[in-house]
Amino acid sequence: MRPVPPSWGYPPPPGRRRPELGGVTVLVLVTVLAALVAPHAQALRGKLADVGPLPAIRLPKPQLPAPPPATRAPKGLSFTDGAGCRPAGDYRSPRLDRRVRALLVAAAGQYRILVSCLRSGHSWFVKGTRRVSNHSVWRGVDVDLVDGRPVTPSNASARRLALWIGRGRAGVQPSEVGSPWAFGARPWFSDAGHQGHLHVGFAGPTRAGGR
């Protein structure tokens, strides 16, 4: 019998390390693991093929702030500076009473109207009095033409419009409607100064923020 080397079965002496796995051993382990995983990978690919393409992920569109209400005059509403006022600029102002704007938008849906005055250029007081005009506090409007014709006692469209406004058919109820016609009780009135235009005014306080 060959004598057993004294180091067999005993820890290696200090200063010596056990031999590490060689490259061949690592290669064998990787090959074995790949063989084990391959069937599962093939099955997973088959399931994905059965499912088909995944639906596209759609991200919600960012919510933009709502734009402010438009102040562009609607079709049927126009302005003139011929009376010494500047109604086009006043119509765009946030200080304009919202009832005046609502009235004009509604009236322009029924008739073609030409506005001659809102605030700028109008006298501070009602003519011949010391009473502050509704125009001065953004609550009054004057209309010179209705359906392309001047406001006169013979303009039937202007007469119908004056009645329509005074009855609150525009969705807002004015406190004064001046015109060439004496319809009777308030809000209607007629005098020498209102034979050539329609005047509409609203009671206070002013409801600004017409935008």
Side-chain angles (χ1 to χ4, degrees):
M1 294 181 61
R2 304 172 86 184
V4 178
S7 62
W8 287 13
Y10 295 92
R16 296 183 59 184
R17 300 175 58 189
R18 292 185 182 273
E20 298 180 357
L21 296 177
V24 175
T25 304
V26 174
L27 179 59
V28 170
L29 289 175
V30 171
T31 304
V32 171
L33 290 175
L36 293 174
V37 172
H40 300 286
Q42 184 65 30
L44 179 59
R45 284 195 294 269
K47 290 180 180 180
L48 292 177
D50 293 338
V51 171
L54 296 176
I57 299 176
R58 296 183 179 180
L59 298 176
K61 293 182 179 180
Q63 296 296 323
L64 299 177
T71 55
R72 180 181 299 176
K75 184 178 180 181
L77 174 61
S78 55
F79 305 94
T80 178
D81 294 345
C85 299
R86 297 180 295 279
D90 290 342
Y91 182 78
R92 295 189 295 269
S93 173
R95 301 178 65 185
L96 181 65
D97 192 296
R98 64 175 65 96
R99 294 169 294 178
V100 174
R101 188 185 306 284
L103 168 71
L104 293 176
V105 171
Q110 304 290 325
Y111 302 89
R112 289 180 292 112
I113 57 176
L114 178 72
V115 172
S116 58
C117 201
L118 284 170
R119 180 186 182 276
S120 301
H122 196 277
S123 59
W124 184 257
F125 298 108
V126 176
K127 187 176 180 180
T129 73
R130 300 298 292 176
R131 182 162 48 91
V132 175
S133 169
N134 276 322
H135 288 279
S136 301
V137 287
W138 299 90
R139 298 195 306 259
V141 56
D142 289 342
V143 175
D144 277 19
L145 297 181
V146 178
D147 283 347
R149 296 176 56 203
V151 175
T152 64
S154 63
N155 187 335
S157 293
R159 187 178 188 277
R160 288 194 297 271
L161 177 58
L163 284 169
W164 185 81
I165 290 173
R167 290 168 178 164
R169 298 295 176 80
V172 288
Q173 181 60 58
S175 59
E176 52 191 36
V177 181
S179 74
W181 305 278
F183 294 119
R186 285 283 189 174
W188 296 285
F189 71 92
S190 182
D191 57 25
H194 292 84
Q195 297 301 302
H197 70 277
L198 299 181
H199 163 79
V200 184
F202 292 88
T206 302
R207 301 176 188 177
R211 286 179 185 265

